[in-house]
Amino acid sequence: MHMQKVLPELYEGHAPITLHNAFHDALEALEEWKEGNEEPLVAVDGYNVPISHIFARMSACTDLLPLRTRDVLETIVDKGSFRASGGSLYADGAKLVMPICVERLTLSLLRPTASLIELRKACVEA
């Protein structure tokens, strides 16, 4: 299943409410994402979608962020840098959280899995 088919397209910079809600849920998931863990998924129309896909889709959205979503965003990124960016659009928010998402994805990929650690121990002890 391609994510492009699951996530609705923007229409002239505007996103359907489904994407607005998914973006808010993705921000909350990003806030709770512990370093080294796998990327969180958010349910969109019955499908689990990686949060980075939602942020990428919303990076061109010209809709205004509602206050509740801005509040969550400001707990994740520095409030000053958010305001300095003029952060009032979904696109602004998406562009600020994408680097955080990429950093955590990279850390989760670099972290050795438990099975790999066990395998190394077994090799050393043999």
Side-chain angles (χ1 to χ4, degrees):
M1 169 60 52
H2 286 90
M3 291 305 143
Q4 309 309 341
K5 302 291 182 226
V6 173
L7 295 175
E9 295 289 330
L10 300 182
Y11 178 74
E12 296 180 359
H14 299 292
I17 192 70
T18 311
L19 278 180
H20 289 183
N21 292 335
F23 185 85
H24 185 88
D25 294 345
L27 283 178
E28 289 182 336
L30 176 61
E31 187 178 21
E32 295 167 13
W33 187 3
K34 302 285 184 258
E35 279 188 12
N37 289 351
E38 288 186 14
E39 181 178 8
L41 304 174
V42 170
V44 180
D45 290 335
Y47 294 96
N48 289 325
V49 180
I51 63 174
S52 61
H53 292 228
I54 295 165
F55 295 141
R57 177 56 52 92
M58 295 298 276
S59 65
C61 180
T62 57
D63 295 331
L64 291 173
L65 282 167
L67 283 176
R68 73 181 189 106
T69 304
R70 285 181 66 166
D71 289 345
V72 177
L73 192 55
E74 287 180 355
T75 62
I76 297 168
V77 300
D78 175 56
K79 211 179 251 196
S81 67
F82 178 61
R83 293 220 172 96
S85 75
S88 57
L89 306 179
Y90 278 92
D92 300 326
K95 289 170 186 163
L96 284 170
V97 295
M98 282 299 284
I100 297 167
C101 218
V102 168
E103 181 183 322
R104 295 206 182 146
L105 270 171
T106 305
L107 288 172
S108 72
L109 293 172
L110 293 176
R111 194 182 111 239
T113 61
S115 57
L116 189 58
I117 292 168
E118 294 304 314
L119 184 62
R120 283 190 189 139
K121 279 185 189 172
C123 290
V124 169
E125 291 167 3

